[in-house]
Amino acid sequence: MNWADLNLMPALPELFMSVAILVILMLDAFISDAKRGLHYGLALLTLAGCAVLQVQTYSAVPVHTFSGMFVSDALSSLVKLAMYGSTAMVLVYSRQYIADRGLLRGEFFSLALFALLGMNIMVSASHFLSLYMGLELLSLSLYSLIALQRDEVKATEAAMKYFVLGALASGLLLYGISMIYGATGTLDLALVAKAIKLHTANDMLLVFGLVFIVAGLCFKLGTVPFHMWVPDVYQGSATAVTLMVGAAPKLAAFVFVLRILVQGMEAMVADWQAMLALVAVLSMAIGNITAIAQTNIKRMLAYSTISHMGFLLLGLLAGTPDGYAAALFYSLIYVLMSMVSFGILLGLSRAGFECETLDDLKGLNSRNSWYALLMLLTMFSMAGVPPLAGFYAKFAVIKAIVDIHLYWLAIIAVMMSLIGAFYYLRVVKNIYFDEAQDTSAIVMRADMKLVLSINAVALLVLGMLPERVIELCIQAMKQSLTVI
Amino acid sequence: MSMTTVIFYILSAILLFAAIRVVTAKNPVHAVLYLVLAFFTSSGHWLLLQSEFLAITLVLVYVGAVMVLFLFVVMMLDINVEKLREGFWRNLPVAATVGLIMAFEMVLILTNPHTGLADYKAGAALAADASNVKVLGRQLYTTYLLPFELAAVVLLVAMVAAIGLTQRSRKDTKVVDAADQVKVRSQDRVRIVKMQAEKNVEAADTAESGEQQA
């Protein structure tokens, strides 16, 4: 490679983001604690700038750069735009919450943007090395974001657990990747795919490597049997950080899995399909059944996440372009849903009070009927009640499974979503039919109120008119997956 | 068997022994010392592969800097290993069974005739004046530019996190800001309150509330 060959245009949003992070870091040293709102504004501006550059540099044909380690294609552009949007929303929702808890510091914003940079790299990687570097950048930023609240014993414990288990999973993943490298002699996903297809690689080593890679990936997605970190991390972290861990990283992790399993190892679909089917069934079952027993709503939502990731895997393991598109749609909708639910929890919390048990939601309707309605929409959407987006997302992945004649899996999925409906409806019952224990007024910043409302109403609109978005997902998958 | 192969096997035997001792040593300080041995031995492996730069870096960075630091930390922490090992014998039967089954399964797969070393050819020998550093540098700054830069970002995150987690302005500190001390004016410290020499109860109340408002 020559310097003149280096095409930086496809990575322009990432470069802009890196420079912006450095500016924010520098400013942090010079401004007083009272003016931390400046960082908030700058972070939002950075996200807006990235989104504009993303649209500007969009190309329907995949463009490779950095010696084929970085790719900009329709899939990465779509997912990156969604991640900018969700990160911006997370910041808007967290503004008051972090200010009340002394977390409104420069590090919060720079680490959040570093995490986003890592996710961008994961989404755009076409080489095992860049995939792994992106993953580590994301993970390290998230560990430290959780630990930032260091006077809280629970947050420190959560960060420690996440860190130790995350390091273990990274080790598993690397071990698997090293076997793939040993078998194929390359780390480039396209070349790995070619070697597997042509059977020039040692099959036994490949399967061994695949097992370790799937284990590592399942950990990052938070699926059974590698799910034990999820509830503790969700419950232990400050709600704003929980939201950050639970929203955009799930999208990035999904594309990460897609890049490795589909772009790199599609020829081994029969092998990973069986593994993912087992993981999906276990995740849906354990996630949904354990969620029923929870009294802490953050913990309940964590188990619900596990079950949602199980559903997402259904679309992925179908092994068809429609299935991948359905899984992408599911992850987009999941991010929207988790943001409203945690957003409401953030809004109900105030200085000195943490809204985190099911009892805290009791009688929300009598305190503020609009927020009650937003929560109702989200819970119905998560449960998969028809006019809402969650229903269509579940429908799409189950259809993908039915299309490849895995009926038993589809039946289990439907049964599990019925079981799941119980605890989502219990939240609705608490909100509408129970007496409020805490009758203090709910104060929310106007911008947060607006964004939260749009976010929740989007679930309703996308549920009634999903065609546009699902068409976008199918297009992205077609354009990105055919040219490898 | 050539000399290189003999050295390879000797080094590997020492490496495996050291690695096993790292996890089985009772005393954490001994474990760290065995880890140093393991690093040192694997740098011998690099040398066998004619990568002298990597071998020296491994010794300088890992043995010289990282492990010495590690040793300091381990010596300062008073770790009671016996307490950590309490459950060892109780859990041993289950752990041993699981381990044996896993080892058996791996042996079944790996004894497959297709996973032999014959599939992997040795690399060509390098010329006597081949420069490791040059090749590495060129690779890092061209082909592997992106991961290299990302590694730098990861280190920056580590730095930001380390500072963010450890630095704090203590509220109970008694440190006085000299600049503030110099700039202080008499009005900031002394307040002259005008009041009647003699007052009745009502007047005192209003004066007091007035004072509070002020």
Side-chain angles (χ1 to χ4, degrees):
Chain A
M1 197 188 87
N2 215 314
W3 276 110
D5 298 340
L6 187 61
N7 178 10
L8 289 176
M9 285 310 279
L12 202 57
E14 283 75 23
L15 292 174
F16 173 73
M17 199 192 295
S18 325
V19 174
I21 296 172
L22 295 182
V23 170
I24 291 178
L25 270 179
M26 282 304 287
L27 272 179
D28 193 27
F30 292 105
I31 62 172
S32 65
D33 280 342
K35 290 188 195 141
R36 286 289 183 250
L38 180 68
H39 279 105
Y40 170 73
L42 278 178
L44 286 182
L45 263 182
T46 307
L47 291 169
C50 287
V52 170
L53 288 174
Q54 196 71 54
V55 174
Q56 292 285 321
T57 57
Y58 172 77
S59 113
V61 189
V63 191
H64 289 261
T65 183
F66 286 114
S67 325
M69 290 193 185
F70 186 95
V71 62
S72 171
D73 54 15
L75 172 65
S76 68
S77 305
L78 176 66
V79 172
K80 277 183 208 170
L81 282 177
M83 290 192 310
Y84 300 143
S86 82
T87 307
M89 281 149 87
V90 170
L91 291 183
V92 172
Y93 295 167
S94 320
R95 175 76 169 80
Q96 190 60 45
Y97 183 88
I98 57 175
D100 290 342
R101 278 155 191 78
L103 280 173
L104 188 61
R105 294 155 48 179
E107 289 97 24
F108 185 86
F109 296 102
S110 46
L111 286 174
L113 289 178
F114 271 129
L116 183 62
L117 183 64
M119 289 188 252
N120 266 5
I121 301 288
M122 281 164 78
V123 164
S124 263
S126 54
H127 193 280
F128 274 119
L129 212 50
S130 38
L131 273 172
Y132 182 72
M133 291 309 296
L135 177 68
E136 282 306 291
L137 185 52
L138 165 68
S139 310
L140 280 172
S141 314
L142 288 183
Y143 305 147
S144 27
L145 266 175
I146 298 172
L148 217 48
Q149 217 188 1
R150 59 180 172 181
D151 295 330
E152 289 281 322
V153 180
K154 271 199 309 191
T156 321
E157 188 192 325
M160 203 57 212
K161 273 184 184 156
Y162 195 19
F163 178 65
V164 172
L165 290 175
L168 186 71
S170 293
L172 285 179
L173 193 66
L174 276 183
Y175 193 31
I177 293 175
S178 75
M179 288 191 192
I180 301 290
Y181 181 64
T184 61
T186 175
L187 286 173
D188 192 303
L189 285 177
L191 296 179
V192 168
K194 215 166 111 191
I196 296 176
K197 212 169 246 168
L198 299 175
H199 292 289
T200 52
N202 183 322
D203 282 345
M204 209 51 80
L205 258 185
L206 281 179
V207 175
F208 244 70
L210 181 68
V211 173
F212 282 106
I213 287 186
V214 168
L217 294 179
C218 285
F219 175 88
K220 297 296 173 191
L221 274 177
T223 47
V224 182
F226 307 98
H227 65 292
M228 279 324 292
W229 62 275
V230 183
D232 289 338
V233 169
Y234 272 45
Q235 187 185 2
S237 320
T239 311
V241 182
T242 309
L243 179 55
M244 211 167 273
V245 175
K250 295 291 178 203
L251 262 176
F254 163 68
V255 181
F256 187 72
V257 176
L258 193 84
R259 294 256 185 231
I260 293 186
L261 292 187
V262 178
Q263 286 201 313
M265 318 179 86
E266 186 159 37
M268 303 177 75
V269 62
D271 291 306
W272 53 257
Q273 192 173 50
M275 295 182 208
L276 290 188
L278 183 69
V279 171
V281 169
L282 284 176
S283 302
M284 288 186 296
I286 292 180
N288 275 325
I289 293 169
T290 322
I292 294 175
Q294 305 306 321
T295 51
N296 182 303
I297 191 160
K298 277 160 83 180
R299 217 173 164 78
M300 186 199 95
L301 285 172
Y303 280 105
S304 123
T305 304
I306 296 171
S307 77
H308 282 296
M309 289 302 121
F311 275 100
L312 187 128
L313 285 182
L314 289 184
L316 202 65
L317 69 89
T320 57
D322 280 348
Y324 304 144
L328 177 59
F329 183 71
Y330 199 104
S331 55
L332 289 172
I333 297 299
Y334 168 73
V335 168
L336 278 180
M337 295 191 297
S338 73
M339 275 195 306
V340 191
S341 51
F342 282 109
I344 297 270
L345 295 188
L346 284 172
L348 295 184
S349 302
R350 48 181 189 270
F353 170 72
E354 219 40 73
C355 173
E356 57 175 10
T357 66
L358 281 172
D359 291 345
D360 292 336
L361 284 178
K362 277 187 176 167
L364 179 60
N365 185 40
S366 57
R367 292 167 68 194
N368 188 320
S369 53
W370 178 239
Y371 298 142
L373 183 69
L374 298 185
M375 197 64 172
L376 170 99
L377 282 176
T378 318
M379 286 299 133
F380 275 10
S381 178
M382 281 197 174
V385 175
L388 292 146
F391 164 74
Y392 199 82
K394 279 202 169 74
F395 176 75
V397 288
I398 291 176
K399 183 169 171 299
I401 285 296
V402 169
D403 282 347
I404 58 158
H405 310 295
L406 282 176
Y407 299 114
W408 62 274
L409 203 50
I411 292 171
I412 292 179
V414 172
M415 272 167 34
M416 288 308 157
S417 76
L418 277 180
I419 294 177
F422 168 76
Y423 60 89
Y424 294 125
L425 292 182
R426 185 173 55 188
V427 174
V428 174
K429 176 213 145 217
N430 272 358
I431 292 176
Y432 279 92
F433 301 109
D434 283 347
E435 282 293 317
Q437 292 173 337
D438 168 19
T439 46
S440 52
I442 301 167
V443 192
M444 241 188 251
R445 288 166 61 95
D447 52 352
M448 171 167 176
K449 212 185 279 183
L450 179 72
V451 179
L452 195 62
S453 307
I454 294 174
N455 187 348
V457 172
L459 287 176
L460 189 61
V461 175
L462 281 178
M464 292 201 270
L465 307 161
E467 289 83 7
R468 281 294 296 275
V469 180
I470 202 141
E471 192 56 38
L472 219 62
C473 294
I474 292 175
Q475 279 296 326
M477 284 296 166
K478 270 190 187 145
Q479 283 168 354
S480 311
L481 292 185
T482 48
V483 204
I484 45 167
Chain B
M1 207 185 327
S2 72
M3 193 59 200
T4 326
T5 323
V6 174
I7 296 176
F8 171 78
Y9 279 117
I10 294 175
L11 285 178
S12 302
I14 299 176
L15 177 58
L16 286 178
F17 166 74
I20 291 170
R21 288 300 289 153
V22 173
V23 277
T24 53
K26 279 220 163 99
N27 188 335
V29 177
H30 292 174
V32 175
L33 290 175
Y34 277 113
L35 196 56
V36 171
L37 179 62
F39 280 136
F40 199 77
T41 322
S42 42
S43 84
H45 275 146
W46 280 118
L47 275 181
L48 283 183
L49 290 169
Q50 306 188 346
S51 313
E52 65 279 353
F53 177 70
L54 288 177
I56 293 168
T57 318
L58 191 67
V59 173
L60 279 184
V61 176
Y62 272 91
V63 179
V66 178
M67 291 320 294
V68 170
L69 211 64
F70 213 76
L71 204 56
F72 271 136
V73 175
V74 171
M75 282 174 171
M76 274 192 268
L77 294 175
D78 185 24
I79 305 172
N80 189 350
V81 192
E82 288 312 313
K83 210 172 176 185
L84 292 174
R85 284 167 181 267
E86 257 171 17
F88 183 77
W89 290 108
R90 201 157 26 93
N91 295 327
L92 187 67
V94 184
T97 322
V98 173
L100 279 179
I101 294 174
M102 277 167 60
F104 176 67
E105 285 171 346
M106 284 171 87
V107 166
L108 268 189
I109 294 175
L110 291 176
T111 46
N112 180 313
H114 297 295
T115 30
L117 280 176
D119 293 357
Y120 304 97
K121 286 194 292 284
L126 296 176
D129 60 346
S131 165
N132 261 283
V133 188
K134 205 168 175 180
V135 176
L136 269 177
R138 176 158 295 158
Q139 286 290 314
L140 277 185
Y141 284 101
T142 56
T143 315
Y144 295 99
L145 179 65
L146 178 70
F148 185 68
E149 294 294 334
L150 283 175
V153 180
V154 169
L155 288 179
L156 182 61
V157 170
M159 215 167 85
V160 172
I163 295 174
L165 291 184
T166 48
Q167 185 234 26
R168 73 166 114 194
S169 48
R170 287 175 49 163
K171 286 204 176 65
D172 55 350
T173 177
K174 301 280 193 294
V175 172
V176 175
D177 187 345
D180 280 353
Q181 287 267 295
V182 176
K183 274 190 289 186
V184 81
R185 298 166 305 167
S186 61
Q187 296 98 297
D188 295 338
R189 296 283 166 88
V190 185
R191 192 157 53 99
I192 297 163
V193 182
K194 281 218 171 76
M195 56 197 315
Q196 291 167 305
E198 229 177 314
K199 58 183 175 183
N200 55 27
V201 183
E202 253 178 319
D205 276 351
T206 50
E208 239 174 50
S209 63
E211 207 173 354
Q212 271 167 7
Q213 272 165 16

